[in-house]
Amino acid sequence: KNEVEQSPQNLTAQEGEFITINCSYSVGISALHWLQQHPGGGIVSLFMLSSGKKKHGRLIATINIQEKHSSLHITASHPRDSAVYICAVSGAQKLVFGQGTRLTINP
Amino acid sequence: EAQVTQNPRYLITVTGKKLTVTCSQNMNHEYMSWYRQDPGLGLRQIYYSMNVEVTDKGDVPEGYKVSRKEKRNFPLILESPSPNQTSLYFCASGRGTSGNYNEQFFGPGTRLTVL
């Protein structure tokens, strides 16, 4: 079993829908990261959080340390949100990544 | 412009021919790291460095070497590349001396093919 599990692996939705991507982890962590990888391959850090909730524009990330679970939400999704979203956890100086969720938003 | 640069962006080479992928950051970050990304396996950490002359192994260090002689540069060295090192490689940097609380800034990636 992977240390970091994401669901779903693939998600297709219509523009405007509310999107939720889930991340569960099995190890002790210092922080959890959400990354976005665009079709061109570049990776951008969206959030880094160790407790509670963070919001940037239409993106919201939450983490429940007791349940070892995090969610990434996208409100009012747009085709430009189409990308691979990757959850990663950090502890002991290392990063461990989930497999990624491929999100496609259709107009 | 704050950025992490990698060179080359694309490389096709043959088994056994030593190569170096350079990584440089202009943000004065202490922490730097190398990752490889493979289909079905996702991103995996190769090596990381918490500061000049301080490096340590990640999850998949076999076949790779790194050095950190200057804060801004963190080259990845493949002394004798093999086909199983064909992959997409990312360098990243972050503030502080730990990967734990660092937002990571990623380079554009280097696509390596070893024949």
Side-chain angles (χ1 to χ4, degrees), chain A residues 55-99:
Chain A
K55 184 175 188 289
H56 290 158
R58 295 180 294 106
L59 274 59
I60 303 166
T62 64
I63 187 169
N64 185 318
I65 297 294
Q66 287 74 27
E67 294 185 5
K68 296 188 175 180
H69 181 268
S70 175
S71 293
L72 176 68
H73 305 287
I74 305 174
T75 62
S77 59
H78 190 276
R80 65 175 174 266
D81 296 325
S82 297
V84 175
Y85 292 84
I86 302 169
C87 170
V89 298
S90 55
Q93 320 300 338
K94 297 182 182 180
L95 271 183
V96 179
F97 298 85
Q99 297 285 353

Side-chain angles (χ1 to χ4, degrees), chain A residues 28-33 88-96, chain B residues 99-102:
Chain A
I29 69 168
S30 300
L32 185 140
H33 306 251
V89 298
S90 55
Q93 320 300 338
K94 297 182 182 180
L95 271 183
V96 179
Chain B
N100 294 343
Y101 296 103
N102 277 311

Side-chain angles (χ1 to χ4, degrees), chain A residues 14-78:
Chain A
Q14 290 300 120
E15 183 173 357
E17 288 188 35
F18 181 82
I19 302 299
T20 296
I21 299 170
N22 296 299
C23 176
S24 296
Y25 54 93
S26 58
V27 294
I29 69 168
S30 300
L32 185 140
H33 306 251
W34 281 102
L35 310 171
Q36 181 190 54
Q37 186 169 27
H38 282 283
I43 298 175
V44 174
S45 176
L46 297 175
F47 294 102
M48 181 185 64
L49 64 166
S50 55
S51 65
K53 175 180 175 179
K54 286 190 175 181
K55 184 175 188 289
H56 290 158
R58 295 180 294 106
L59 274 59
I60 303 166
T62 64
I63 187 169
N64 185 318
I65 297 294
Q66 287 74 27
E67 294 185 5
K68 296 188 175 180
H69 181 268
S70 175
S71 293
L72 176 68
H73 305 287
I74 305 174
T75 62
S77 59
H78 190 276

Side-chain angles (χ1 to χ4, degrees), chain B residues 83-111:
Chain B
N84 64 13
Q85 293 178 297
T86 293
S87 187
L88 179 58
Y89 291 87
F90 289 97
C91 178
S93 72
R95 279 185 296 272
T97 57
S98 162
N100 294 343
Y101 296 103
N102 277 311
E103 177 187 7
Q104 303 260 308
F105 294 82
F106 286 80
T110 294
R111 187 167 294 280

